[in-house]
Amino acid sequence: MKPDPIPPRPGQESVWAFPRPAIAQPSAAHIVIAHRGIILADTRASVRTLETSHPPSYYIPRRDIRESALRPGRGSSFCEWKGDATYWDVVLDDTVLPAVGWSYPRPTSAFAALADHIAFYAAPFDRCSVDGETVVPQPGGFYGGWITSAVAGPFKGVPGSRFW
């Protein structure tokens, strides 16, 4: 059962107008991830993925991520559009955040822009922001979208949304 989309306000995008299958597009939004007073990532050169019913996920170029904080994580997954994903742990001082990032080392041709980029779940960090606005993590634990006031939902991940 498809929910009733919330009508977007001026300046908002509806996640129900996003395409399926998903797409990737360059973004000049200012993306910052901070945890325990340390900036993990800071970029204006991300790639955002858009998919019906999901808030955007932001893939950050490796060059704009604190490389010393990254280590390969456990596990892998497969996306029918993007390909095989690998996971990343973030290590900041004595804190280890396991499998909080993911990437596509060899993405499909439609998602070639994601090569050498890593996306992160927002929930484990003290602050993730888009253009200065603190994001709300997409509900559900599995999904990695970042909700801001620029997108209108409802968003996949809430109870009962499995078949949206």
Side-chain angles (χ1 to χ4, degrees):
M1 174 167 99
K2 184 177 170 186
D4 291 325
I6 298 168
R9 296 186 313 267
Q12 280 189 316
E13 297 176 279
S14 171
V15 298
W16 294 95
F18 290 168
R20 187 167 175 90
I23 62 167
Q25 62 180 208
S27 174
H30 188 198
I31 306 298
V32 178
I33 301 174
H35 193 69
R36 298 201 173 171
I38 299 170
I39 301 297
L40 172 67
D42 187 338
T43 191
R44 293 181 186 270
S46 65
V47 176
R48 70 178 193 157
T49 56
L50 305 177
E51 179 181 352
T52 303
S53 77
H54 294 266
S57 293
Y58 292 90
Y59 289 77
I60 301 167
R62 294 270 310 252
R63 70 177 181 271
D64 294 336
I65 301 169
R66 181 185 287 258
E67 191 70 29
S68 63
L70 295 175
R71 77 173 183 205
R74 299 175 89 180
S76 63
S77 61
F78 176 76
C79 172
E80 63 186 306
W81 299 305
K82 299 176 204 94
D84 292 312
T86 59
Y87 289 86
W88 295 91
D89 298 342
V90 168
V91 181
L92 296 170
D93 296 327
D94 61 345
T95 301
V96 177
L97 303 172
V100 295
W102 69 96
S103 64
Y104 294 91
R106 290 170 298 288
T108 62
S109 60
F111 288 88
L114 299 184
D116 297 319
H117 288 63
I118 301 174
F120 295 90
Y121 293 103
F125 298 100
D126 291 340
R127 184 168 192 259
C128 296
S129 64
V130 176
D131 289 333
E133 180 182 347
T134 300
V135 306
V136 173
Q138 182 175 7
F142 176 76
Y143 303 109
W146 289 14
I147 300 170
T148 66
S149 62
V151 289
F155 307 105
K156 187 171 180 95
V158 297
S161 66
R162 182 174 178 200
F163 297 107
W164 286 3

mmCIF file of all heavy atoms in Angstrom, residues 105-137:
data_model
loop_
_atom_site.group_PDB
_atom_site.id
_atom_site.type_symbol
_atom_site.label_atom_id
_atom_site.label_comp_id
_atom_site.label_asym_id
_atom_site.label_seq_id
_atom_site.Cartn_x
_atom_site.Cartn_y
_atom_site.Cartn_z
ATOM 1 N N PRO A 105 33.098 0.011 -4.500
ATOM 2 C CA PRO A 105 34.416 0.108 -5.140
ATOM 3 C C PRO A 105 34.367 -0.035 -6.661
ATOM 4 O O PRO A 105 35.156 0.576 -7.366
ATOM 5 C CB PRO A 105 35.204 -1.042 -4.509
ATOM 6 C CG PRO A 105 34.481 -1.370 -3.249
ATOM 7 C CD PRO A 105 33.046 -1.027 -3.482
ATOM 8 N N ARG A 106 33.433 -0.836 -7.159
ATOM 9 C CA ARG A 106 33.263 -1.034 -8.591
ATOM 10 C C ARG A 106 31.771 -0.902 -8.928
ATOM 11 O O ARG A 106 31.109 -1.902 -9.233
ATOM 12 C CB ARG A 106 33.802 -2.405 -9.017
ATOM 13 C CG ARG A 106 35.336 -2.490 -8.944
ATOM 14 C CD ARG A 106 35.872 -3.888 -9.130
ATOM 15 N NE ARG A 106 35.443 -4.842 -8.111
ATOM 16 C CZ ARG A 106 35.869 -4.869 -6.838
ATOM 17 N NH1 ARG A 106 36.758 -4.002 -6.437
ATOM 18 N NH2 ARG A 106 35.421 -5.763 -5.979
ATOM 19 N N PRO A 107 31.248 0.322 -8.875
ATOM 20 C CA PRO A 107 29.812 0.496 -9.103
ATOM 21 C C PRO A 107 29.428 0.181 -10.549
ATOM 22 O O PRO A 107 30.282 0.177 -11.444
ATOM 23 C CB PRO A 107 29.585 1.981 -8.794
ATOM 24 C CG PRO A 107 30.903 2.627 -9.035
ATOM 25 C CD PRO A 107 31.937 1.599 -8.671
ATOM 26 N N THR A 108 28.157 -0.052 -10.762
ATOM 27 C CA THR A 108 27.651 -0.244 -12.114
ATOM 28 C C THR A 108 27.888 1.040 -12.918
ATOM 29 O O THR A 108 28.121 2.111 -12.344
ATOM 30 C CB THR A 108 26.148 -0.569 -12.097
ATOM 31 O OG1 THR A 108 25.448 0.545 -11.531
ATOM 32 C CG2 THR A 108 25.858 -1.844 -11.306
ATOM 33 N N SER A 109 27.810 0.943 -14.231
ATOM 34 C CA SER A 109 28.110 2.105 -15.075
ATOM 35 C C SER A 109 27.170 3.286 -14.789
ATOM 36 O O SER A 109 27.601 4.439 -14.842
ATOM 37 C CB SER A 109 28.068 1.723 -16.548
ATOM 38 O OG SER A 109 26.795 1.228 -16.901
ATOM 39 N N ALA A 110 25.917 3.014 -14.464
ATOM 40 C CA ALA A 110 24.975 4.104 -14.165
ATOM 41 C C ALA A 110 25.354 4.850 -12.891
ATOM 42 O O ALA A 110 24.923 5.988 -12.690
ATOM 43 C CB ALA A 110 23.557 3.552 -14.056
ATOM 44 N N PHE A 111 26.149 4.225 -12.033
ATOM 45 C CA PHE A 111 26.542 4.827 -10.760
ATOM 46 C C PHE A 111 28.062 5.004 -10.671
ATOM 47 O O PHE A 111 28.620 5.053 -9.574
ATOM 48 C CB PHE A 111 26.007 3.988 -9.595
ATOM 49 C CG PHE A 111 24.520 4.126 -9.446
ATOM 50 C CD1 PHE A 111 23.661 3.299 -10.147
ATOM 51 C CD2 PHE A 111 23.980 5.122 -8.656
ATOM 52 C CE1 PHE A 111 22.291 3.446 -10.050
ATOM 53 C CE2 PHE A 111 22.605 5.287 -8.545
ATOM 54 C CZ PHE A 111 21.758 4.444 -9.249
ATOM 55 N N ALA A 112 28.703 5.150 -11.814
ATOM 56 C CA ALA A 112 30.160 5.303 -11.840
ATOM 57 C C ALA A 112 30.631 6.476 -10.982
ATOM 58 O O ALA A 112 31.738 6.444 -10.439
ATOM 59 C CB ALA A 112 30.637 5.475 -13.276
ATOM 60 N N ALA A 113 29.801 7.487 -10.829
ATOM 61 C CA ALA A 113 30.166 8.661 -10.016
ATOM 62 C C ALA A 113 30.403 8.309 -8.552
ATOM 63 O O ALA A 113 31.021 9.089 -7.821
ATOM 64 C CB ALA A 113 29.079 9.728 -10.119
ATOM 65 N N LEU A 114 29.931 7.151 -8.100
ATOM 66 C CA LEU A 114 30.105 6.755 -6.693
ATOM 67 C C LEU A 114 31.482 6.153 -6.401
ATOM 68 O O LEU A 114 31.842 5.972 -5.233
ATOM 69 C CB LEU A 114 29.022 5.761 -6.275
ATOM 70 C CG LEU A 114 27.586 6.251 -6.367
ATOM 71 C CD1 LEU A 114 26.642 5.188 -5.824
ATOM 72 C CD2 LEU A 114 27.388 7.573 -5.648
ATOM 73 N N ALA A 115 32.256 5.838 -7.439
ATOM 74 C CA ALA A 115 33.597 5.295 -7.220
ATOM 75 C C ALA A 115 34.400 6.287 -6.382
ATOM 76 O O ALA A 115 34.308 7.499 -6.578
ATOM 77 C CB ALA A 115 34.282 5.022 -8.545
ATOM 78 N N ASP A 116 35.156 5.771 -5.439
ATOM 79 C CA ASP A 116 35.996 6.589 -4.554
ATOM 80 C C ASP A 116 35.199 7.551 -3.682
ATOM 81 O O ASP A 116 35.683 8.621 -3.296
ATOM 82 C CB ASP A 116 37.063 7.355 -5.340
ATOM 83 C CG ASP A 116 38.030 6.413 -6.029
ATOM 84 O OD1 ASP A 116 38.424 5.406 -5.397
ATOM 85 O OD2 ASP A 116 38.375 6.657 -7.201
ATOM 86 N N HIS A 117 33.951 7.191 -3.369
ATOM 87 C CA HIS A 117 33.091 7.944 -2.462
ATOM 88 C C HIS A 117 32.569 7.002 -1.382
ATOM 89 O O HIS A 117 32.414 5.801 -1.625
ATOM 90 C CB HIS A 117 31.889 8.532 -3.202
ATOM 91 C CG HIS A 117 32.224 9.668 -4.102
ATOM 92 N ND1 HIS A 117 33.050 9.549 -5.204
ATOM 93 C CD2 HIS A 117 31.814 10.967 -4.085
ATOM 94 C CE1 HIS A 117 33.142 10.720 -5.812
ATOM 95 N NE2 HIS A 117 32.398 11.594 -5.158
ATOM 96 N N ILE A 118 32.270 7.545 -0.218
ATOM 97 C CA ILE A 118 31.708 6.772 0.885
ATOM 98 C C ILE A 118 30.486 7.512 1.420
ATOM 99 O O ILE A 118 30.524 8.741 1.599
ATOM 100 C CB ILE A 118 32.731 6.567 2.027
ATOM 101 C CG1 ILE A 118 33.972 5.839 1.512
ATOM 102 C CG2 ILE A 118 32.098 5.789 3.189
ATOM 103 C CD1 ILE A 118 35.092 5.716 2.542
ATOM 104 N N ALA A 119 29.406 6.776 1.663
ATOM 105 C CA ALA A 119 28.213 7.323 2.317
ATOM 106 C C ALA A 119 28.221 6.869 3.779
ATOM 107 O O ALA A 119 28.808 5.833 4.107
ATOM 108 C CB ALA A 119 26.948 6.835 1.622
ATOM 109 N N PHE A 120 27.553 7.625 4.630
ATOM 110 C CA PHE A 120 27.530 7.314 6.052
ATOM 111 C C PHE A 120 26.105 7.384 6.595
ATOM 112 O O PHE A 120 25.329 8.256 6.202
ATOM 113 C CB PHE A 120 28.397 8.303 6.845
ATOM 114 C CG PHE A 120 29.861 8.214 6.520
ATOM 115 C CD1 PHE A 120 30.405 8.986 5.497
ATOM 116 C CD2 PHE A 120 30.682 7.353 7.217
ATOM 117 C CE1 PHE A 120 31.752 8.903 5.190
ATOM 118 C CE2 PHE A 120 32.038 7.261 6.915
ATOM 119 C CZ PHE A 120 32.571 8.029 5.894
ATOM 120 N N TYR A 121 25.809 6.488 7.525
ATOM 121 C CA TYR A 121 24.576 6.602 8.298
ATOM 122 C C TYR A 121 24.715 7.827 9.195
ATOM 123 O O TYR A 121 25.781 8.072 9.768
ATOM 124 C CB TYR A 121 24.362 5.363 9.168
ATOM 125 C CG TYR A 121 24.097 4.105 8.390
ATOM 126 C CD1 TYR A 121 25.099 3.158 8.214
ATOM 127 C CD2 TYR A 121 22.849 3.857 7.838
ATOM 128 C CE1 TYR A 121 24.863 1.996 7.492
ATOM 129 C CE2 TYR A 121 22.601 2.692 7.128
ATOM 130 C CZ TYR A 121 23.607 1.764 6.952
ATOM 131 O OH TYR A 121 23.365 0.624 6.239
ATOM 132 N N ALA A 122 23.660 8.581 9.367
ATOM 133 C CA ALA A 122 23.725 9.788 10.191
ATOM 134 C C ALA A 122 23.618 9.485 11.687
ATOM 135 O O ALA A 122 24.227 10.170 12.506
ATOM 136 C CB ALA A 122 22.618 10.761 9.783
ATOM 137 N N ALA A 123 22.850 8.470 12.055
ATOM 138 C CA ALA A 123 22.529 8.236 13.466
ATOM 139 C C ALA A 123 23.732 8.062 14.396
ATOM 140 O O ALA A 123 23.695 8.558 15.518
ATOM 141 C CB ALA A 123 21.580 7.038 13.596
ATOM 142 N N PRO A 124 24.799 7.376 13.998
ATOM 143 C CA PRO A 124 25.888 7.157 14.958
ATOM 144 C C PRO A 124 26.704 8.398 15.307
ATOM 145 O O PRO A 124 27.465 8.386 16.273
ATOM 146 C CB PRO A 124 26.790 6.137 14.252
ATOM 147 C CG PRO A 124 25.945 5.521 13.191
ATOM 148 C CD PRO A 124 24.991 6.595 12.782
ATOM 149 N N PHE A 125 26.582 9.461 14.526
ATOM 150 C CA PHE A 125 27.444 10.622 14.705
ATOM 151 C C PHE A 125 26.754 11.719 15.518
ATOM 152 O O PHE A 125 25.532 11.821 15.551
ATOM 153 C CB PHE A 125 27.866 11.173 13.341
ATOM 154 C CG PHE A 125 28.668 10.175 12.545
ATOM 155 C CD1 PHE A 125 28.065 9.438 11.540
ATOM 156 C CD2 PHE A 125 30.001 9.944 12.829
ATOM 157 C CE1 PHE A 125 28.785 8.492 10.818
ATOM 158 C CE2 PHE A 125 30.727 9.003 12.120
ATOM 159 C CZ PHE A 125 30.119 8.279 11.114
ATOM 160 N N ASP A 126 27.568 12.555 16.153
ATOM 161 C CA ASP A 126 27.032 13.670 16.927
ATOM 162 C C ASP A 126 26.276 14.649 16.030
ATOM 163 O O ASP A 126 25.241 15.181 16.428
ATOM 164 C CB ASP A 126 28.150 14.422 17.649
ATOM 165 C CG ASP A 126 28.769 13.603 18.774
ATOM 166 O OD1 ASP A 126 28.122 12.652 19.247
ATOM 167 O OD2 ASP A 126 29.909 13.924 19.160
ATOM 168 N N ARG A 127 26.817 14.873 14.821
ATOM 169 C CA ARG A 127 26.135 15.808 13.919
ATOM 170 C C ARG A 127 26.524 15.522 12.482
ATOM 171 O O ARG A 127 27.702 15.446 12.150
ATOM 172 C CB ARG A 127 26.494 17.246 14.257
ATOM 173 C CG ARG A 127 25.733 18.264 13.412
ATOM 174 C CD ARG A 127 25.871 19.677 13.961
ATOM 175 N NE ARG A 127 24.920 20.564 13.313
ATOM 176 C CZ ARG A 127 25.242 21.408 12.334
ATOM 177 N NH1 ARG A 127 26.478 21.487 11.902
ATOM 178 N NH2 ARG A 127 24.307 22.188 11.795
ATOM 179 N N CYS A 128 25.508 15.399 11.650
ATOM 180 C CA CYS A 128 25.664 15.368 10.206
ATOM 181 C C CYS A 128 24.806 16.511 9.685
ATOM 182 O O CYS A 128 23.665 16.682 10.134
ATOM 183 C CB CYS A 128 25.182 14.048 9.607
ATOM 184 S SG CYS A 128 26.133 12.616 10.148
ATOM 185 N N SER A 129 25.343 17.293 8.748
ATOM 186 C CA SER A 129 24.576 18.437 8.272
ATOM 187 C C SER A 129 24.663 18.582 6.761
ATOM 188 O O SER A 129 25.627 18.160 6.128
ATOM 189 C CB SER A 129 25.046 19.727 8.950
ATOM 190 O OG SER A 129 26.389 20.018 8.605
ATOM 191 N N VAL A 130 23.607 19.190 6.231
ATOM 192 C CA VAL A 130 23.524 19.572 4.822
ATOM 193 C C VAL A 130 23.262 21.068 4.805
ATOM 194 O O VAL A 130 22.243 21.526 5.349
ATOM 195 C CB VAL A 130 22.394 18.811 4.101
ATOM 196 C CG1 VAL A 130 22.264 19.285 2.658
ATOM 197 C CG2 VAL A 130 22.621 17.305 4.149
ATOM 198 N N ASP A 131 24.198 21.817 4.241
ATOM 199 C CA ASP A 131 24.091 23.280 4.196
ATOM 200 C C ASP A 131 23.776 23.877 5.568
ATOM 201 O O ASP A 131 22.953 24.777 5.705
ATOM 202 C CB ASP A 131 23.051 23.713 3.154
ATOM 203 C CG ASP A 131 23.539 23.477 1.728
ATOM 204 O OD1 ASP A 131 24.769 23.486 1.510
ATOM 205 O OD2 ASP A 131 22.690 23.292 0.834
ATOM 206 N N GLY A 132 24.411 23.347 6.595
ATOM 207 C CA GLY A 132 24.283 23.871 7.950
ATOM 208 C C GLY A 132 23.116 23.330 8.748
ATOM 209 O O GLY A 132 23.023 23.573 9.947
ATOM 210 N N GLU A 133 22.216 22.592 8.114
ATOM 211 C CA GLU A 133 21.054 22.025 8.808
ATOM 212 C C GLU A 133 21.367 20.614 9.296
ATOM 213 O O GLU A 133 21.769 19.753 8.510
ATOM 214 C CB GLU A 133 19.843 21.973 7.870
ATOM 215 C CG GLU A 133 18.615 21.394 8.532
ATOM 216 C CD GLU A 133 17.419 21.294 7.582
ATOM 217 O OE1 GLU A 133 17.445 21.886 6.484
ATOM 218 O OE2 GLU A 133 16.444 20.611 7.961
ATOM 219 N N THR A 134 21.189 20.375 10.586
ATOM 220 C CA THR A 134 21.398 19.040 11.133
ATOM 221 C C THR A 134 20.350 18.094 10.562
ATOM 222 O O THR A 134 19.160 18.396 10.564
ATOM 223 C CB THR A 134 21.315 19.061 12.669
ATOM 224 O OG1 THR A 134 22.337 19.948 13.166
ATOM 225 C CG2 THR A 134 21.512 17.674 13.262
ATOM 226 N N VAL A 135 20.810 16.948 10.075
ATOM 227 C CA VAL A 135 19.898 15.993 9.446
ATOM 228 C C VAL A 135 19.256 15.084 10.479
ATOM 229 O O VAL A 135 19.776 14.905 11.586
ATOM 230 C CB VAL A 135 20.604 15.142 8.370
ATOM 231 C CG1 VAL A 135 21.304 16.020 7.351
ATOM 232 C CG2 VAL A 135 21.580 14.155 8.975
ATOM 233 N N VAL A 136 18.150 14.503 10.086
ATOM 234 C CA VAL A 136 17.483 13.449 10.843
ATOM 235 C C VAL A 136 17.731 12.157 10.072
ATOM 236 O O VAL A 136 17.526 12.127 8.853
ATOM 237 C CB VAL A 136 15.965 13.730 10.960
ATOM 238 C CG1 VAL A 136 15.238 12.556 11.592
ATOM 239 C CG2 VAL A 136 15.721 15.018 11.722
ATOM 240 N N PRO A 137 18.179 11.105 10.741
ATOM 241 C CA PRO A 137 18.412 9.845 10.026
ATOM 242 C C PRO A 137 17.116 9.257 9.486
ATOM 243 O O PRO A 137 16.066 9.337 10.123
ATOM 244 C CB PRO A 137 19.001 8.922 11.096
ATOM 245 C CG PRO A 137 19.431 9.807 12.207
ATOM 246 C CD PRO A 137 18.556 11.018 12.153
#
